Amino acid sequence: MPLSQAVKDLVVNEYIPRYPTKRAALVMALWAAQNEQGWLSSETFEEIGELLDLDATDVNAVASFYTMFHRRPIGRQLIEVCDNPPCLVNNAHETMQRLCDRLGLESAAGHGGGTTADGEYTVRFAECLAACDMAPAVQVNYRYYGPVRPDDVERFLANMESFSIETPIPPVPGQSGPPAGAAATPAGMVKEG
Amino acid sequence: MAQTPPPASPAPDGAPQGAPPPAVPFERVLTAAMGQPGSHELDHYLRRGGYVGAHKALTSMTPEEVIKVVTDSKLRGRGGAGFPAGIKWSGTRGNPAPRYLVVNADESEPGTYGNRYAMDTDPHMLLEGMIICSFAVGINLAYIYIRGENLHGYETLELAVRQARERGYLGRGLFGTDFNLEIYVHRGAGAYVCGEETALMESLEGKRAQPRTRPPHPFQVGGGLFGRPTVVNNVETLMCVPHIIVRGAEWFAAIGSPNCPGPKVYCVSGNVNRPGIYEAPMGLLLSELIFGDEYAQGVPGGRAVKAVSPGALASPLISGGELEVKLDVDAVRAPPYRTQLGAGGIIVYDDSVCMVELLLRAEQFFAHESCGKCVPCREGTHWMVDVLRRITAGRGREKDLDLLNNVAGNMSGLPFHQRTLCALADFAAGPMMSAIGKFREDFDYHIREQACPQQRQLAHA
Ligand SMILES: Cc1cc2nc3c(=O)[nH]c(=O)nc-3n(C[C@H](O)[C@H](O)[C@H](O)COP(=O)(O)O)c2cc1C
Ligand code: SF4
Ligand code: FES
């Protein structure tokens, strides 16, 4: 699916003028693209490369360095559970285990994750989210929730908003997920993490 | 932020000379608005005396005077290295324009989250600090680099920048002067090493975030952002600045530890009853922070403190018997602690935590985050994970501890840039060596009994 004109305009009119070089707009451009498409395809790399006068392989080399850019479709809701030490000693692995059990995903010896067959959820561990006081801290499509203790998992899945730790702020065009068209993930095809 | 100190705390300017000044009760300034609805809005900030410091600096002081006040305040960087802010600024100002300011809002080290609260609560305080810094150093273009995961922080900052621009606090001719400043917010995309200042600049330039060779240093031509002289400061460092300008260098220098003064936002996490951020004078006693009623209120279930990472995960561990240490940059470095304050993220581990399991998870973090540019770091972190995994899997050998110490020793040691390009290698090595040094019995038990002393698996298999 090609990038929309809106994303291209955003990159050209908003992001490129912010920096002395075109290349510097790359990460912001990749964000805008991923938020629209749900993930980053080779086709998207070509399109972004054209906007910024970069080679598609160059764009790919940069994108692949960063853990938040997806090279494959993922679930509509990306649930990430932090299991760095402050969250770990507050039972993050049990939270993960319960999440996986509840969503019918495999989870062995603390490892968890994958995408549900209906493409609704992708679950994975995250490194520290800078919410260690809310341990175990969780993000869903990069929104902050916590603490989500093992016993909270059922309630959390039923009503995530009651676990939100954010104050409402107007979203920013091009940057705020979840992906607008939330790429319909072909059932069962993805395993990430 | 109050424009004038409350009556209870006499202005240091007006304090009688000669006699030691009366003890001034500590007043929270960095987190004063926490919990107040709408505190992130420009009007809310203005009602609390916002932008008074920027106005004062731009309309009644020279850049040199501003730098002098910041230098005299003895403000030291809050991002980890504790470098004096005034010296960094004057060094950068001494090099030719254009110069840039980059705010380090990458905050990714396990145990730190103070910048996130600060930006959510008072984004304009950060913008005001940036205006003052930019004026002092002669900068007209500044960026805030915020980690990608903190989407909410990004949105809050974007809103604040828009409001400031609309109302003339950013843009051209600030406060009726001829000083211009633009600020842009830039999102990262996940990678702990982006917090290292040269990796951060690479990332901002649209490249893979791998640290650069120094010299040239960021404040020099060729070493900074887009090759220009650049100030990189942490969020909290800059948020101190408006208060220093309004209340004076003496006010700041009189708070807490004399060599490293000022208010400090400590983040407490791990096994404590009340995790959270606590603003206190720099140099607060660790035991008070963990057990104090105003602070974290002790350990759940009344368990004992076994270990503490006083400067987040990258700092060498100290034991539960070493809690009477002052939390300032220099005090924690001294023997017997020999650790780091980092950005002030205190992680508390109770006596149910096995240090071998903990270290395995910690080294997994560093191995995952190593950018791979230097051999000792790239190889060393994976070596340590392999050996620790072997030990936790019940296949440890006596000589593994020497091996771990050796690997860690080869990764660290001062000055770090002679072995590796950045301090991430030291961050991985320090906790390892301190754990073997201070919690040897956990390692010995694992190796001898081929089992965990706590019967509890913490890390991934
Ligand atoms: C691996 C690594 C990660 C770092 N992460 C951060 C960070 O998230 N935030 C920060 O302010 N400084 C971080 N630093 C320190 C910065 O390199 C730099 O010293 C700091 O931003 C300077 O600002 P300050 O003088 O105001 O403290 C990190 C350093 C290293 C080696
Ligand atoms: S020390 Fe590690 S993280 Fe730092 S530059 Fe070298 S390999 Fe990269
Ligand atoms: S350790 Fe989990 S959010 Fe920091």
Side-chain angles (χ1 to χ4, degrees):
Chain A
M1 186 175 40
L3 285 178
S4 70
Q5 196 56 41
V7 165
K8 290 183 180 173
D9 288 347
L10 187 71
V11 172
V12 172
N13 302 328
E14 273 290 322
Y15 297 157
I16 292 177
R18 294 183 180 187
Y19 310 92
T21 67
K22 274 191 171 180
R23 171 186 271 278
L26 177 54
V27 172
M28 294 295 279
L30 288 168
W31 269 124
Q34 177 163 296
N35 284 333
E36 179 179 86
Q37 311 258 317
W39 60 292
L40 296 171
S41 64
S42 306
E43 184 189 357
T44 303
F45 289 156
E46 297 275 354
E47 292 181 277
I48 300 235
E50 264 166 47
L51 293 176
L52 302 178
D53 298 334
L54 299 171
D55 224 50
T57 39
D58 197 356
V59 173
N60 189 356
V62 173
S64 63
F65 185 87
Y66 299 96
T67 55
M68 297 178 73
F69 291 133
H70 313 304
R71 287 293 279 118
R72 284 169 293 182
I74 58 161
R76 275 174 288 273
Q77 307 208 47
L78 173 62
I79 306 184
E80 296 177 289
V81 180
C82 169
D83 77 331
N84 281 184
C87 288
L88 191 63
V89 301
N90 282 290
N91 304 320
H93 281 172
E94 285 83 342
T95 293
M96 176 57 103
Q97 179 81 48
R98 299 264 190 113
L99 262 174
C100 289
D101 289 351
R102 187 65 184 64
L103 298 174
L105 292 166
E106 265 176 52
S107 140
H111 263 300
T115 299
T116 54
D118 61 0
E120 183 61 19
Y121 298 101
T122 293
V123 180
R124 65 181 188 187
F125 280 122
E127 306 288 5
C128 176
L129 297 164
C132 328
D133 56 332
M134 294 293 164
V138 171
Q139 280 199 326
V140 182
N141 292 341
Y142 307 120
R143 295 286 163 199
Y144 277 108
Y145 303 91
V148 183
R149 301 188 181 92
D151 286 345
D152 297 330
V153 164
E154 200 78 21
R155 264 190 320 123
F156 175 69
L157 287 173
N159 182 4
M160 289 183 184
E161 282 326 298
S162 63
F163 288 82
S164 172
I165 55 170
E166 298 183 356
T167 42
I169 297 288
V172 181
Q175 292 296 319
S176 303
T185 312
M189 76 166 267
V190 206
K191 244 193 154 89
E192 264 214 356
Chain B
M1 186 175 77
Q3 280 182 48
T4 46
S9 37
D13 290 347
Q17 297 294 308
V24 182
F26 178 71
E27 181 194 342
R28 293 191 292 128
V29 293
L30 301 174
T31 58
M34 256 190 83
Q36 295 180 20
S39 65
H40 62 280
E41 298 279 351
L42 176 59
D43 285 322
H44 196 283
Y45 187 57
L46 291 173
R47 281 200 298 277
R48 289 181 279 125
Y51 289 104
V52 166
H55 182 267
K56 177 178 171 186
L58 269 64
T59 60
S60 72
M61 297 169 78
T62 64
E64 290 78 10
E65 283 167 354
V66 173
I67 290 184
K68 182 164 186 326
V69 171
V70 172
T71 307
D72 289 348
S73 76
K74 299 201 233 163
L75 168 63
R76 290 170 69 172
R78 304 302 200 227
F83 193 84
I87 294 176
K88 187 180 279 189
W89 294 11
S90 65
T92 311
R93 188 180 169 78
N95 288 323
R99 310 173 195 98
Y100 299 115
L101 166 64
V102 179
V103 179
N104 191 339
D106 190 57
E107 190 164 63
S108 308
E109 184 163 326
T112 61
Y113 51 91
N115 290 175
R116 179 175 61 81
Y117 275 113
M119 292 184 291
D120 282 0
T121 305
D122 245 330
H124 285 284
M125 197 188 287
L126 173 61
L127 300 188
E128 185 178 4
M130 293 174 71
I131 294 170
I132 298 168
C133 170
S134 300
F135 170 73
V137 182
I139 289 167
N140 304 111
L141 183 54
Y143 298 94
I144 304 172
Y145 184 105
I146 183 165
R147 66 179 296 186
E149 292 86 346
N150 193 352
L151 176 57
H152 186 251
Y154 173 81
E155 292 172 343
T156 309
L157 290 168
E158 276 282 339
L159 177 70
V161 167
R162 199 171 69 235
Q163 289 177 341
R165 210 174 272 146
E166 279 166 11
R167 303 269 286 273
Y169 292 96
L170 289 176
R172 306 192 69 78
L174 303 193
F175 303 103
T177 68
D178 60 3
F179 179 69
N180 308 326
L181 178 65
E182 275 307 334
I183 294 178
Y184 295 111
V185 193
H186 182 101
R187 278 186 83 190
Y192 165 62
V193 74
C194 291
E196 196 282 331
E197 57 190 13
T198 62
L200 182 145
M201 293 188 289
E202 288 285 298
S203 178
L204 223 166
E205 292 176 11
K207 302 174 190 156
R208 298 164 72 87
Q210 293 184 311
R212 297 175 180 166
T213 316
R214 277 156 286 197
H217 294 280
F219 74 94
Q220 295 170 321
V221 174
L225 185 66
F226 304 113
R228 303 306 309 171
T230 301
V231 171
V232 182
N233 269 141
N234 174 259
V235 171
E236 194 179 321
T237 312
L238 287 162
M239 286 178 72
C240 291
V241 170
H243 305 284
I244 292 171
I245 296 299
V246 171
R247 297 170 183 233
E250 299 77 10
W251 162 78
F252 193 86
I255 298 170
S257 297
N259 53 336
C260 179
K264 172 77 198 115
V265 178
Y266 295 104
C267 313
V268 193
S269 64
N271 297 126
V272 289
N273 282 317
R274 211 170 57 141
I277 63 170
Y278 299 104
E279 183 179 348
M282 187 67 101
L284 182 71
L285 267 187
L286 176 57
S287 55
E288 192 176 346
L289 184 60
I290 296 174
F291 294 106
D293 272 352
E294 299 168 62
Y295 303 108
Q297 298 182 352
V299 179
R303 301 193 77 116
V305 174
K306 177 166 178 177
V308 177
S309 299
L313 197 62
S315 62
L317 291 155
I318 61 177
S319 73
E322 297 174 322
L323 305 183
E324 299 308 309
V325 58
K326 278 190 174 187
L327 293 170
D328 79 46
V329 173
D330 299 322
V332 298
R333 274 187 194 156
Y337 310 109
R338 290 199 179 84
T339 180
Q340 301 285 334
L341 185 63
I346 287 90
I347 315 173
V348 178
Y349 306 106
D350 72 21
D351 57 7
S352 73
V353 178
C354 166
M355 290 296 122
V356 186
E357 294 281 348
L358 177 75
L359 258 288
L360 172 56
R361 186 62 192 90
E363 297 304 345
Q364 285 172 333
F365 173 80
F366 292 113
H368 182 249
E369 301 297 337
S370 167
C371 84
K373 209 170 172 182
C374 327
V375 176
C377 174
R378 184 182 61 222
E379 303 286 319
T381 48
H382 286 281
W383 259 99
M384 292 196 289
V385 169
D386 285 350
V387 176
L388 286 164
R389 196 174 267 146
R390 183 161 78 213
I391 298 176
T392 57
R395 288 181 278 109
R397 299 171 301 207
E398 196 61 49
K399 57 180 193 251
D400 281 344
L401 298 189
D402 290 339
L403 183 58
L404 285 171
N405 261 329
N406 246 324
V407 173
N410 284 332
M411 293 169 67
S412 61
L414 292 172
F416 73 78
H417 51 267
Q418 290 178 356
R419 290 176 201 262
T420 55
L421 288 174
C422 89
L424 192 143
D426 298 73
F427 291 179
M432 188 70 252
M433 294 193 286
S434 63
I436 296 180
K438 295 184 178 177
F439 304 98
R440 176 144 191 147
E441 60 284 2
D442 281 4
F443 290 84
D444 287 342
Y445 187 98
H446 258 282
I447 292 170
R448 194 177 61 240
E449 307 291 332
Q450 307 290 18
C452 178
Q454 300 297 334
Q455 310 300 327
R456 177 173 172 210
Q457 186 187 2
L458 273 181
H460 301 153

